[in-house]
Amino acid sequence: MELQLYNTMSRRKETFQPIHPPEVGLYTCGPTVYNYAHVGNLRTYIFSDILKRVLLYNGLEVKHVMNITDVGHLTGDRDMGEDKLEKGARREGKSAWEIAEHYTQAFKKDIARLHIMDPTIWCKATETIEDQIALIKALEEKGYTYRTRDGIYFNTAKFDGYTRLSHQDLAFLQEGARVEKNPEKRNPTDFALWKYSPEGVQRQMEWASPWGVGFPGWHIECSAMSMKFLGEKLDIHCGGTDHIDVHHTNEIAQSEAATGRKFFNFWMHGAFLIIAGGKKMAKSEGNFLTLDAVIEACKIEPLAYRYAAFQTHYRKPMEYSEEAMMAAQNGLQHVRNQVRTLLDSASPSKVDAAYQEKFLQAINNDLNMPQAMAVVQDLLKSDLAPDIKLATVFDFDRVLGLDLQSAAAGQTLPEEIQALADARLTARKEKQWALSDQLRDQIQSLGYAVQDTPQGMKVFKP
Ligand code: AMP
Ligand code: ZN
C-alpha cells in the first residue's frame, strides 16, 4: 500500500518513495541544549518517531540523523541577541560545555522514557565546525555571501525562490524585520553564516576560521550535518512548524545555493502543543512544562504522554490539560489490561490480515494515529480469537511503541482492584489526601500492595 505523507513544500499529501530504496535518509532538527526540553518539544519528537516507525513498518530501512545544537542559536532567530548556550552558562554559573552536556543527557533520558527510538547518528554542532566552514566557503566562492562588522551573511536576494517553503510574502517580512533591525543587513531575511566573537570578549565556544575567530550561525549546522551524514539520501527533513519560515527556509537556500542541487524531497512539520487559550507552549513564554513536571502534576507515567500524543493528528494543534493526561493514563492502562487478560488464555499466533490492512490504511494516510488507535480499540473489542488478537496488537506495537509485550507480562489486576486504583489516582490528582489514604487501606485490605513511585502509583500482589 502506498505511503502518503504531507509535504510542506507542495502543501499536499504525496506518495513517498525513497531516493535510494530500501534506505530512507531522515533528518530531524534536534534540541538546543540550554534548558530542559518541554513537552511541546517532545510532542515533535514523538511525531518524528512515529514517522520513522511507520517507514520501518512499511519494510523500509531508515538512516536517521539528529543534531544537537550546542552552539550558535541566538536568542532571536534572526541573528540578533545572545547565544543561548553562553546565556545558559551564565545563568547557572557553569561552562557552556557543561550546560550542553547536562541538557543533552536530560534530553536523551526524556526521549528514552517516551520510547522514542535513538537516531542512527547523533551529531553535535561543535563537532562539525570544519564541515560548516567548508560549506560557507563554497557559498562565498559562488558569491552568495557578504561581510558585515559582526559576521558573514547569506544574501537571500541572490537565491531564487527563497520563500518556496514558507510561501511568505516578502513585503510582510520587511515589515516584521523592524523588530530586530541590523542596519548592515542588505535584506531583512539575510542571515548569519558565521559570527565574529565580539571584540575584546573571549567566548567560551569559538573557533578560528578564514574570516576570523567566531562561531557558526544556527542554520548552517543542519545543512552541513545532513549532507555529511546522509550523502545523497536527502529524503525527509522534519521539525516543528516554527522551523518553516526561518530555519528550514534558510537551510534550503544555503544548501541549494552551495550544491546547485535539490536539498530534501520531503519537508514535514509537527504542529504545536498549546495550552488553554491557544498559546504555544514555549520556553520564551515561560509557560512550559517538562516531562517530569507533567508526571508529577498528573501522577502519570511517561508513556501516558506518548499515548496522549496519539489522540491528535500531528498536523493539528494538541491542547495540553491535566484531564487529557489522566485520561491517557487510563486509556493506556485499559489497553494493557485487555492484553493481559488475553495473555491469561492464549499466546500470540498469526496476525489478522484484515485488521493489519486497516491499521496500515490509517498510518499510511499521513500518519493518522487517532484513526490507528481506533483500529486498535476495534481489534481488542472484536470477536477474533485471543491468539490472533495478541499477534495483531503486538504487530501494531512496532508503530505504537508502547511496549505492550513486557507491560503485559506483569499481573492482571482484578476489576475491583483496578477500579479502586483508578479512584485513588483521581483522588490524588484532586488532592483529596484523606480519600486517597482510605482507598489505599481498602486496596491493602484486599491483599494488594500500593506504592507511590516517581513513575506513578504501582499496585500489585506482593
Ligand atoms: P528547540 O530545542 O527550541 O530547537 O526545539 C526543538 C523542537 O521542538 C523543534 O523542532 C521545535 O520546532 C519544536 N517545538 C518548539 N515548541 C513546540 C511546541 N510548543 N509544540 C511542539 N513542538 C515545539
Ligand atoms: Zn535544523
Side-chain angles (χ1 to χ4, degrees):
M1 186 185 298
E2 279 188 352
L3 170 58
Q4 295 273 315
L5 298 174
Y6 183 89
N7 190 347
T8 309
M9 185 62 90
S10 63
R11 288 186 159 178
R12 58 182 177 79
K13 286 186 211 169
E14 294 176 30
T15 301
F16 176 74
Q17 281 290 351
I19 300 168
H20 294 288
E23 197 169 49
V24 179
L26 172 67
Y27 188 90
T28 315
C29 283
T32 309
V33 284
Y34 70 108
N35 207 333
Y36 293 108
H38 56 66
V39 284
N41 302 133
L42 295 171
R43 182 193 182 198
T44 291
Y45 297 109
I46 293 173
F47 142 63
S48 44
D49 185 59
I50 290 297
L51 168 64
K52 176 172 171 179
R53 287 169 180 267
V54 167
L55 292 165
L56 293 168
Y57 193 85
N58 277 274
L60 298 164
E61 290 162 20
V62 180
K63 182 169 185 185
H64 179 199
V65 177
M66 193 185 316
N67 66 302
I68 297 283
T69 300
D70 54 356
V71 67
H73 191 171
L74 304 185
T75 49
D77 271 359
R78 293 211 181 269
D79 302 312
M80 304 293 277
E82 273 181 283
D83 183 309
K84 290 181 174 176
L85 266 292
E86 302 250 339
K87 190 176 170 193
R90 256 206 330 282
R91 179 187 70 219
E92 298 186 21
K94 292 185 183 155
S95 77
W97 299 96
E98 284 166 343
I99 290 288
E101 183 56 24
H102 175 77
Y103 290 111
T104 301
Q105 292 314 326
F107 177 73
K108 289 186 176 177
K109 186 176 145 210
D110 279 348
I111 66 166
R113 288 190 293 172
L114 291 169
H115 291 188
I116 292 171
M117 293 168 78
D118 266 337
T120 324
I121 296 173
W122 285 107
C123 48
K124 293 183 185 174
T126 52
E127 286 172 357
T128 50
I129 300 291
E130 283 309 311
D131 304 281
Q132 298 175 56
I133 290 177
L135 197 53
I136 302 169
K137 267 202 209 147
L139 288 168
E140 187 176 44
E141 279 157 22
K142 293 192 171 182
Y144 283 100
T145 65
Y146 61 91
R147 182 188 285 261
T148 71
R149 263 173 306 168
D150 72 350
I152 303 294
Y153 280 76
F154 183 91
N155 187 344
T156 53
K158 291 212 163 170
F159 181 74
D160 263 354
Y162 176 72
T163 55
R164 201 152 30 96
L165 181 74
S166 67
H167 305 269
Q168 269 183 318
D169 178 356
L170 274 179
F172 169 81
L173 283 179
Q174 306 268 5
E175 264 301 290
R178 276 178 309 164
V179 191
E180 286 185 5
K181 198 144 186 144
N182 174 352
E184 286 186 84
K185 281 213 285 198
R186 295 189 191 162
N187 309 287
T189 46
D190 291 356
F191 55 91
L193 296 164
W194 188 263
K195 288 209 88 169
Y196 304 130
S197 295
E199 226 166 282
V201 176
Q202 182 168 11
R203 282 173 44 96
Q204 296 184 35
M205 290 178 161
E206 58 180 19
W207 295 265
S209 82
W211 312 281
V213 173
F215 60 101
W218 171 35
H219 318 295
I220 196 76
E221 68 176 86
C222 288
S223 291
M225 290 192 252
S226 50
M227 293 197 264
K228 178 181 172 104
F229 296 110
L230 293 177
E232 289 185 354
K233 291 178 183 158
L234 301 175
D235 287 299
I236 311 177
H237 196 120
C238 49
T241 47
D242 54 335
H243 283 350
I244 299 172
D245 292 348
V246 180
H247 184 51
H248 288 166
T249 286
N250 292 348
E251 278 189 46
I252 293 169
Q254 67 200 2
S255 307
E256 297 194 357
T259 64
R261 286 203 310 267
K262 185 175 182 186
F263 192 36
F264 276 83
N265 269 352
F266 274 73
W267 291 86
M268 294 182 66
H269 296 96
F272 286 146
L273 180 75
I274 54 174
I275 50 161
K279 260 200 156 173
K280 168 191 172 190
M281 184 177 283
K283 289 169 199 167
S284 54
E285 298 278 348
N287 63 6
F288 72 90
L289 290 167
T290 59
L291 183 59
D292 279 317
V294 170
I295 291 169
E296 176 57 31
C298 309
K299 304 282 178 265
I300 60 166
E301 58 185 301
L303 275 190
Y305 182 64
R306 182 178 175 93
Y307 188 92
F310 296 166
Q311 313 305 317
T312 311
H313 188 266
Y314 80 90
R315 282 195 291 120
K316 295 214 174 94
M318 166 179 166
E319 195 164 323
Y320 173 82
S321 73
E322 294 194 353
E323 290 68 33
M325 296 304 123
M326 288 158 63
Q329 176 71 66
N330 286 339
L332 173 61
Q333 202 52 47
H334 188 60
V335 171
R336 282 183 187 146
N337 286 344
Q338 285 170 291
V339 172
R340 278 177 198 162
T341 309
L342 290 168
L343 277 172
D344 284 344
S345 66
S347 321
S349 61
K350 210 169 119 286
V351 176
D352 182 77
Y355 271 96
Q356 192 178 42
E357 177 80 10
K358 283 190 206 168
F359 185 74
L360 202 58
Q361 251 168 21
I363 58 175
N364 279 9
N365 179 11
D366 194 28
L367 321 179
N368 191 335
M369 290 307 287
Q371 177 78 39
M373 292 313 288
V375 176
V376 172
Q377 302 296 349
D378 287 350
L379 166 77
L380 291 172
K381 270 191 284 179
S382 72
D383 46 20
L384 284 177
D387 54 327
I388 295 193
K389 275 192 197 177
L390 281 172
T392 313
V393 79
F394 289 161
D395 176 63
F396 296 173
D397 201 32
R398 291 196 281 141
V399 173
L400 308 180
L402 296 173
D403 203 6
L404 292 174
Q405 301 202 43
S406 46
Q411 294 172 343
T412 316
L413 291 178
E415 241 171 61
E416 181 193 8
I417 305 292
Q418 187 60 51
L420 289 169
D422 290 347
R424 183 167 184 268
L425 210 61
T426 309
R428 287 175 67 74
K429 173 70 231 349
E430 289 165 358
K431 302 197 170 26
Q432 298 187 38
W433 306 119
L435 176 61
S436 155
D437 288 349
Q438 191 192 321
L439 287 162
R440 185 196 54 211
D441 293 347
Q442 220 176 323
I443 296 170
Q444 285 173 343
S445 70
L446 293 165
Y448 284 79
V450 180
Q451 263 177 15
D452 294 309
T453 75
Q455 283 77 38
M457 177 174 67
K458 286 212 166 91
V459 179
F460 55 95
K461 189 121 189 136

